[in-house]
Amino acid sequence: LLKEIISAPFYLFSKKWWRLFVLKDLFFAKACYLQADKKLAKSYLFHNSFIYRPIWSYVANKKGSEIIFYFYSINNETFLRKDGYSTSPNYVWQNMNWPKYLFWNEYSKNYYTQFCRKPFISEISGPINLNHIRLDKNLLFREPSISIFDVMPIRVSSYRSLASPFEYYIPEVAISFLRDILLVCEENDIKLLLKNKYSYNRNKPIYHHPKYINFLLKLSQHNNVIVIKPNTSPVDLIKATKLSIVMPFTSTAFISKSLKKPVCYYDSLGIISKEDLSANDVDIIIGYDELKDWVLSKINL
C-alpha cells in the first residue's frame, strides 16, 4: 500500500494513471494474493448491489474460492406500457462478468444472461429473502387480512438523478395504489397489513417524497390498518395473511406465488400492459373495479 501511495504522483503522468482509480481494489487484491489459500473462504457471495466485480475476487477465484453473484430481487426489468411502448433495458447489466449466478426462476435467468458476455454457470435458487426479522407475534389482527407491499417514491431531485426513462414510482401512482386497496378493505371489513419497502423519517423525510410520507402517516391512523416494520420477513407476513397485493413489479409477488398464496400486481392508473412479461406470470389487475372483484374472489377461498 505504501509503495502504491508513493508511486501515485508518477502514475498521474504515465500510462498507469488508471491505478489511481482502483488503488483500494489493488490493495485488497494484493492482500488476497499474499493470503494463505487455506485462510480464504470456500465461497464468496455478492448480491446485485455489486454490479462491478472487485479485482480481489479474480485472485480468490484463481486460488480456489467460489465466486457467486445472486439476485435479492427480480424487479430490475423494464416496463411494457399499455400503449405498447417498452423502455430500453438498463445496459449496466452488460458489465456483469461473474463466474456463477443464482437466479430466482427461468424468466429471470433468460433476462439477465442476455447481457452476460463472459462464460458462466448458473443455478435456479428460487426467492432469496434478505429480511429475516420475524413477524411480531404480539400483533393481533382478525381474518380476513391482506398483506400489501409498496414501492416508496423518493424526492423529485433524487428520482431525476436516476434518469429513469419511464417514471412510474411517483407519489400520484403510489398513493392511488394504497387508496384503492384501503377502500376495498374498509368496504369489506378486511385488515390491511402494509410493509413499506424502506424505513423513513416520520418528522422530516430526507430521501423519500414528503407527499407520500404524509399520506402514510394518515393511512396508519385507520383502524383496519397495521403498519409492519420494513425489516420484517415478507415470508412471515405472507404466510400470516390471506392474500397479497403488490405494486409492480416488486419481488414479493413471486415470493407469494412460491408460497402458493393468491397474489396480484395492482396498477391503479392503468399504465402498465397486462402482457408485460416482467410480471412473471403474476396477475396484473388494473383499476378499482377489477381490484375489488379479484379481492372478493380470492379472500373467501
Side-chain angles (χ1 to χ4, degrees):
L1 178 61
L2 288 173
K3 178 184 175 183
E4 289 294 322
I5 292 174
I6 294 171
S7 302
F10 300 98
Y11 292 153
L12 188 61
F13 302 101
S14 71
K15 293 181 180 180
K16 295 183 178 180
W17 55 266
W18 55 270
R19 296 177 76 98
L20 297 174
F21 292 96
V22 291
L23 180 59
K24 182 179 177 180
D25 268 53
L26 288 173
F27 169 70
F28 284 112
K30 189 67 174 180
C32 185
Y33 174 77
L34 295 173
Q35 181 64 274
D37 292 4
K38 63 181 180 180
K39 291 188 177 181
L40 294 176
K42 183 178 180 180
S43 300
Y44 292 97
L45 287 90
F46 299 80
H47 60 62
N48 57 293
S49 290
F50 299 87
I51 302 300
Y52 299 97
R53 186 176 165 190
I55 297 174
W56 69 263
S57 68
Y58 294 90
V59 181
N61 195 207
K62 284 187 176 181
K63 298 183 79 170
S65 296
E66 187 178 33
I67 306 298
I68 302 172
F69 182 91
Y70 70 93
F71 291 84
Y72 67 83
S73 66
I74 54 172
N75 65 333
N76 298 301
E77 295 85 351
T78 56
F79 286 100
L80 176 63
R81 293 198 326 217
K82 195 174 181 180
D83 58 13
Y85 177 77
S86 178
T87 54
S88 300
N90 189 336
Y91 280 95
V92 69
W93 300 112
Q94 70 184 7
N95 295 302
M96 298 192 304
N97 59 349
W98 303 81
K100 184 175 181 179
Y101 297 93
L102 299 183
F103 298 106
W104 284 34
N105 55 20
E106 285 293 336
Y107 172 79
S108 182
K109 176 182 176 180
N110 293 335
Y111 180 82
Y112 290 111
T113 56
Q114 67 179 308
F115 306 109
C116 298
R117 298 177 175 180
K118 302 291 185 181
F120 65 89
I121 59 175
S122 64
E123 292 182 18
I124 304 298
S125 64
I128 294 176
N129 176 26
L130 290 188
N131 298 121
H132 62 280
I133 304 299
R134 304 305 299 266
L135 181 66
D136 187 353
K137 298 297 183 181
N138 294 321
L139 290 176
L140 299 176
F141 56 92
R142 66 186 185 282
E143 290 286 358
S145 56
I146 300 177
S147 54
I148 309 297
F149 300 92
D150 69 348
V151 177
M152 302 177 69
I154 57 179
R155 286 181 174 271
V156 174
S157 57
S158 299
Y159 198 29
R160 285 175 178 170
S161 70
L162 300 176
S164 175
F166 183 27
E167 294 188 350
Y168 187 81
Y169 301 130
I170 57 178
E172 291 75 17
V173 176
I175 290 174
S176 178
F177 167 80
L178 289 177
R179 185 179 286 143
D180 285 359
I181 297 172
L182 175 64
L183 184 56
V184 172
C185 289
E186 287 185 331
E187 288 180 346
N188 297 279
D189 198 28
I190 299 171
K191 206 72 172 178
L192 188 161
L193 283 82
L194 171 63
K195 180 183 178 297
N196 297 123
K197 195 165 186 177
Y198 302 106
S199 58
Y200 56 89
N201 188 320
R202 297 170 62 92
N203 300 319
K204 188 179 180 181
I206 299 173
Y207 183 64
H208 296 103
H209 203 292
K211 185 176 181 180
Y212 187 65
I213 300 304
N214 290 334
F215 177 80
L216 291 179
L217 295 177
K218 293 177 182 177
L219 181 73
S220 64
Q221 296 174 6
H222 287 255
N223 292 330
N224 68 319
V225 174
I226 297 177
V227 178
I228 306 299
K229 293 180 180 178
N231 59 355
T232 300
S233 167
V235 174
D236 270 16
L237 179 57
I238 291 166
K239 286 181 177 179
T241 52
K242 193 77 173 181
L243 52 92
S244 300
I245 302 175
V246 181
M247 194 168 176
F249 286 109
T250 305
S251 305
T252 43
F254 190 70
I255 296 176
S256 296
K257 188 176 180 181
S258 68
L259 294 172
K260 302 188 184 306
K261 287 277 192 172
V263 60
C264 75
Y265 285 119
Y266 179 52
D267 177 21
S268 59
L269 301 181
I271 299 173
I272 298 171
S273 170
K274 283 180 174 284
E275 307 302 318
D276 198 326
L277 296 178
S278 296
N280 281 274
D281 294 325
V282 174
D283 290 337
I284 298 177
I285 303 300
I286 295 177
Y288 176 80
D289 291 336
E290 278 191 30
L291 174 68
K292 183 176 181 179
D293 291 343
W294 185 86
V295 169
L296 295 181
S297 68
K298 302 294 184 182
I299 202 74
N300 297 315
L301 290 179

